[in-house]
Amino acid sequence: MNRRNYIILALLALLLCGIIAVDCHRSESITPAPTTTLRGQALGTFYQVTAKGSLPDNFEARLDSLFAAANSSMSIFDQSSLLSRINRGETDQADPYIAHCITLAQGVSALSDGAYDITIRPLVEAYGFAGKQPNFTPNIDSLLEFVGYEKLALDGLRIVKADPRVSIDLNSIAKGATVDMVAELVSSVGCDDYLVDIGGEIFCHGTNAHGKDWAVGIETPFEGNFSLTGEHITKVLRVSGVGMATSGNYRNFRTDSLGNKFTHIIDPHTGRNTASNLLSATVVAESCALADAYGTMFISLGLERAKQVALDNHIAALLIYDDGGKMRIFTTPEMRPYLD
């Protein structure tokens, strides 16, 4: 997803929260509690932290330090990051950030029988989704030799690879993990009511300025949804004490000279782009990192397998899919209590 799309996501989130807050105020005549909002750029996208009350004077500096640490650890675009050095074979020592993401990711990989896989980096690069020039006809068989979550393990903080050419891409979980870290930072300064949003991925706690669970909108997934007025929102969720993330195919893709689209979700088993009528997957989970990984997993699984995995594992999921040109919604029982 490019920077313009992230700007739109951030603005949509702001507009939607404003609409809901006005409705609550009108219906209950509640004077909103004072809040503090910090906005900026981090990890190649935009962030917003909203907290009831005030935050310490040095909080923004601490936040900037956290973002810098996350970037220097997990970025695949920063060639000096620890993850980049691990991928080049210069070290096999992870830090707690990377180790945490790998541990969570390996669990999601096992849950999905490898449909979700952080060793997919060679294929991501080949298709042009990691800052590289796209190759629309890559040698898939040769690249698949280095793909497979079972080829990666942790021994404490030491990364063990079955083949030294195995490389790691944490983009499907690192942003969610950073959201969780920011949430922990907000909690550590004594704030119980807050919402952290990094590029549309969220963790919230407590209540909003009107004493209600936080309201978060799910965008209608269609190509060209760049509205700034909030009319293209499919559902609104009321959430608190959880992480939330959405994954989809309708924005991040490449098009070749023949007009064929190559989406950023790649099947680790076949090395090819996922063909599916599943348009987007929204997940609510105990952490944003887990919600982030689950969302990608569901898109990779496709609609029917995603439904089954979500139901079998009691995951709060909302799946938007195309049914003969009509948009349909599937929700698991665990998601329904969050629907506004």
Side-chain angles (χ1 to χ4, degrees):
M1 192 176 296
N2 61 35
R3 179 168 292 182
R4 180 190 175 198
N5 292 341
Y6 279 126
I7 294 171
I8 291 164
L9 274 173
L11 289 171
L12 274 171
L14 290 172
L15 288 164
L16 181 60
C17 289
I19 292 167
I20 294 171
V22 169
D23 289 342
C24 291
H25 175 62
R26 288 177 177 173
S27 63
E28 301 181 22
S29 299
I30 296 174
T31 301
T35 60
T36 300
T37 300
L38 300 176
R39 300 187 184 98
Q41 298 182 40
L43 310 181
T45 183
F46 290 79
Y47 75 82
Q48 175 175 308
V49 177
T50 301
K52 279 207 287 194
S54 60
L55 293 167
D57 291 340
N58 69 343
F59 184 83
E60 197 161 4
R62 294 174 65 183
L63 186 58
D64 288 342
S65 295
L66 188 156
F67 286 139
N71 189 75
S72 66
S73 169
M74 299 180 287
S75 174
I76 62 170
F77 301 104
D78 182 350
Q79 294 305 303
S80 66
S81 73
L82 177 56
L83 185 59
S84 293
R85 291 189 285 118
I86 289 170
N87 284 339
R88 290 195 299 267
E90 297 171 4
T91 179
D92 63 358
Q93 292 298 307
D95 61 12
Y97 297 148
I98 292 173
H100 172 65
C101 287
I102 290 176
T103 299
L104 278 181
Q106 294 294 78
V108 177
S109 294
L111 186 70
S112 62
D113 192 26
Y116 174 83
D117 194 331
I118 59 173
T119 69
I120 203 167
R121 177 173 167 77
L123 291 163
V124 172
E125 282 192 342
Y127 284 107
F129 293 107
K132 305 290 185 180
Q133 287 298 314
N135 177 1
F136 295 111
T137 57
N139 188 334
I140 292 174
D141 289 340
S142 65
L143 294 176
L144 284 175
E145 293 180 27
F146 319 127
V147 175
Y149 77 96
E150 70 283 353
K151 298 174 183 177
L152 180 69
L154 273 176
D155 180 8
L157 290 179
R158 188 171 73 89
I159 292 177
V160 181
K161 300 177 182 179
D163 186 303
R165 293 168 293 183
V166 170
S167 60
I168 302 166
D169 184 339
L170 295 178
N171 275 5
S172 62
I173 194 170
K175 185 147 61 78
T178 305
V179 169
D180 296 332
M181 289 188 283
V182 174
E184 291 175 6
L185 178 62
V186 178
S187 293
S188 74
V189 299
C191 181
D192 292 326
D193 303 289
Y194 60 84
L195 182 145
V196 176
D197 178 351
I198 302 179
E201 298 185 3
I202 288 167
F203 189 92
C204 57
H205 193 273
T207 58
N208 63 17
H210 296 275
K212 298 292 186 179
D213 287 349
W214 297 90
V216 182
I218 300 174
E219 289 185 284
T220 305
F222 63 88
E223 185 181 338
N225 181 1
F226 298 141
S227 169
L228 298 181
T229 58
E231 72 266 28
H232 297 306
I233 297 294
T234 295
K235 290 289 183 181
V236 175
L237 304 184
R238 288 281 184 174
V239 288
S240 179
V242 292
M244 175 180 165
T246 297
S247 184
N249 276 330
Y250 62 103
R251 278 203 175 114
N252 198 2
F253 55 83
R254 300 284 186 272
T255 305
D256 67 13
S257 59
L258 299 177
N260 299 310
K261 290 182 181 178
F262 294 82
T263 62
H264 75 293
I265 305 295
I266 300 168
D267 186 338
H269 297 119
T270 66
R272 301 187 183 280
N273 298 104
T274 303
S276 173
N277 61 336
L278 179 55
L279 303 176
S280 75
T282 298
V283 178
V284 174
E286 62 192 60
S287 69
C288 190
L290 198 55
D292 198 0
Y294 278 157
T296 303
M297 174 190 75
F298 287 138
I299 296 296
S300 182
L301 284 169
L303 179 62
E304 295 307 321
R305 289 181 64 203
K307 285 181 180 180
Q308 198 59 55
V309 170
L311 291 169
D312 289 347
N313 294 279
H314 308 287
I315 298 170
L318 186 150
L319 309 178
I320 302 177
Y321 62 98
D322 179 85
D323 180 16
K326 294 184 178 180
M327 200 170 291
R328 307 288 189 190
I329 297 174
F330 169 84
T331 56
T332 60
E334 290 75 18
M335 177 61 88
R336 290 167 196 158
Y338 298 112
L339 294 172
D340 189 45

